[in-house]
Amino acid sequence: MNLTRQLQAIQIQYLEKLPQTLTQIESLAHRLPKSDPGDENWQQLGQLLHKLSGSAGTFGLPALSAQAAKLHRQFEAALLVDGDSYARECHLFISEIETLDTFAELDGIPAKPSADAQDEGSSNNNRPLVSEVWLLEDDADLGSTLISHLQAFNFSARLFTSFTDLIHTFESEQPEVLILDVLLGDEGRSTELLEQSSMLTGASSRLIFISAKDDFTIRLQAASLGAEAFFVKPLDIPRLITRLEQVTARLHAPPERVLIIDDDELLARYYQQLMINANMQVDILHEPDRVIDYLLQNSPDIILMDLQMPDIEGQTLAAVIRQYDQWVGLPIIYLSAEDDPDHQATALNHGADDFLVKPVPDQHLISAVKHKVSRSRQLLELMTKDSLTGLLKHAAIKESIRREWGIAKRKSEIFCVAMLDIDHFKQVNDRFGHAIGDEVIASVATLLRKRLRNTDVLGRYGGEEFVVLMNNCDAVEAKKILENFRQRFQELVFTSEEKQFSATISIGIAEYQPGSDMDADALLINADKAMYTAKETGRNRVIVS
Amino acid sequence: MNELTRVMYVEDEPDIRAVAKLALEAVGGLTVSLCERGDRAVEEAEAFCPQMILLDVMMPGMDGPSVLQAIRQSTQLKNIPVAFMTAKVQPHEIEYFKSLGAVGVIAKPFDPMTLSQLVRDLWEKAEKPL
């Protein structure tokens, strides 16, 4: 992993926590009129403001950083006033604190979840980093069409019309993905490209090639330059976007969540630090008997377990975890000083996946954990996700809605379920063939991922039908978000053998209100009815049940 | 003049620790030990033997200036150059930190790409006899 990406990984973590920090600052500030200078509330607010001013700039938020510093100075000065002016100062100060998030927005980061953020083009509140994509394209029409598609899918796209310009900029900054339309095989241009090829392949940017011609020599040349994908003109834009999504999703995989169970506190802390430095999230559990409670509340990707603990043996603990259906596939690695292969084999028989002998070399531990997690995530995806769209399968999305319904009922929260159906999909299949139909379906999925919030759960319910679960969201906000999605979708242009067409989608929303006696199945039925009303009243619209 | 290779950074904020470590190791080629609590700093520094120590100023429990005092009382560490990393960088604040015996102050927010150079500059300043 190169430096930029490592920095980005830390930045993502920081930005994920930012909304929470800002909310905390705001609520502490609201308590100021009732608190005394120097008390706990007061001190905590001072510390948070100070930290924010010192950290935000490092993570690419200079405006927020400067504003926090200003407010911190104001805050310290306010310590000196008393009486009536204190109340007035507090009031002024609170109103300034309330605008802190607008400074984060100035820096390009939507700091608070809101439907408005959708309209500004950055839909994922929990994933504020937008992938940077550069396009080299000298055909002006194709260039602008591609750029607008990329932007519709929430990529930050930049157009270059000459290779020299691109290389020049590439020397100082590099995007995540480079899309190059070059005349491969052609003498003049490809020599130029080959001269710069070490620079391209040496950098961390992923490469996608667009070519006017298609033959094996050209593809070979692209592959040797490090191409991850190769597209032939006329360009199938939705397919290119889907590929681009896959490439960038791999780059932004969430940090591995690791649970260490070890009674040796120092060693556990050492491993924890080691893995945190490798950008993983690591918890330590010293009491093995709390593991089930922990697993129920958190969902780690992997468990590292000491084999010899004073009260419970590691292999017995692993066997207990395996008694639960939902954790049959959870990777467990034993850590032990045991180097007898026979004993190791016995231990592995009890449901663990690997065995690492202490002392484990640092790099070995990290790569073993990363490898196991990546494999198990792949398997989990295969089991629960639809292969065409990468969304949850029918059973899994239904299960998610039941689970969310349970949580919402218990916590008295509001949430929405939406049913989406592509309009006249049969005609698309009949006119352009099933392969093109599949592309339209895949585009819905890609656009949903890009346009909905990161916490929303997305599923392919069947054929051309989709179900979306939006937690902590009322019907008004859900409608706003899905309306935005609907408009973006109808703007997409699909190409089939030189013919171009676009598609539309009908959407029905059902809201769960706390206290309502509607259950998960009833919600789905209502969303479905609303979707049919959308169809009956002219299609390409969003209806709330 | 010795070359700077080992640095310890005491900082309570995890993200800033992670960025600083990356900045000092990957960009600066330094060996870095991180410490997340002021009250553990002296003990961990005695074990790690850094050539220079960077201190966050505002930490819960034991703050940066108190850590500096404790460092000066350790026979093993008392001559190690110490710099503060802080968002408090108004002239009178910088003067105050220097009066405590710090070799200098690095302003937060810092740029990960230039942090190691700032640290090296302060180290050279501390090493160079006036």
Side-chain angles (χ1 to χ4, degrees), chain A residues 46-148:
Chain A
Q47 278 184 9
L48 282 177
L49 276 174
H50 179 72
K51 271 185 202 304
L52 186 65
S53 70
S55 60
T58 298
F59 295 106
L61 301 153
L64 180 63
S65 196
Q67 182 64 9
K70 184 188 136 197
L71 287 176
H72 186 235
R73 279 196 299 276
Q74 250 182 45
F75 178 76
E76 292 200 321
L79 266 175
L80 307 172
V81 298
D82 52 10
D84 290 346
S85 43
Y86 176 69
R88 202 175 54 239
E89 286 288 323
C90 275
H91 189 70
L92 274 173
F93 184 71
I94 292 169
S95 62
E96 290 227 40
I97 287 279
E98 282 171 344
T99 63
L100 257 183
D101 54 317
T102 60
F103 288 86
E105 277 158 28
L106 266 183
D107 290 319
I109 305 297
K112 273 191 181 170
S114 80
D116 293 337
Q118 308 291 323
D119 301 321
E120 284 150 23
S122 37
S123 62
N124 276 319
N125 301 313
N126 301 332
R127 194 175 55 188
L129 272 190
V130 171
S131 292
E132 172 102 9
V133 177
W134 290 3
L135 170 68
L136 173 64
E137 177 59 71
D138 52 6
D139 172 344
D141 284 348
L142 182 57
S144 69
T145 312
L146 253 177
I147 292 286
S148 69

Side-chain angles (χ1 to χ4, degrees), chain A residues 386 388-389 391-394 397 418-423 425-426 429 437 440-442 444-445 448 458-468 485 504-508 524-532 535:
Chain A
D386 172 59
L388 174 63
T389 59
L391 305 185
L392 290 178
K393 290 179 184 169
H394 184 94
I397 183 75
M419 187 79 87
L420 298 80
D421 191 277
I422 305 172
D423 297 327
F425 186 69
K426 196 176 170 304
N429 271 340
V440 177
I441 286 173
V444 173
L448 279 173
L458 315 174
R460 183 175 178 203
Y461 205 58
E464 68 275 22
E465 216 173 8
F466 299 81
V467 167
V468 174
F485 164 82
T504 58
I505 199 157
S506 297
I507 302 173
L524 259 173
I525 292 170
N526 284 351
D528 198 46
K529 279 184 188 156
M531 191 268 286
Y532 272 101
K535 293 264 183 201

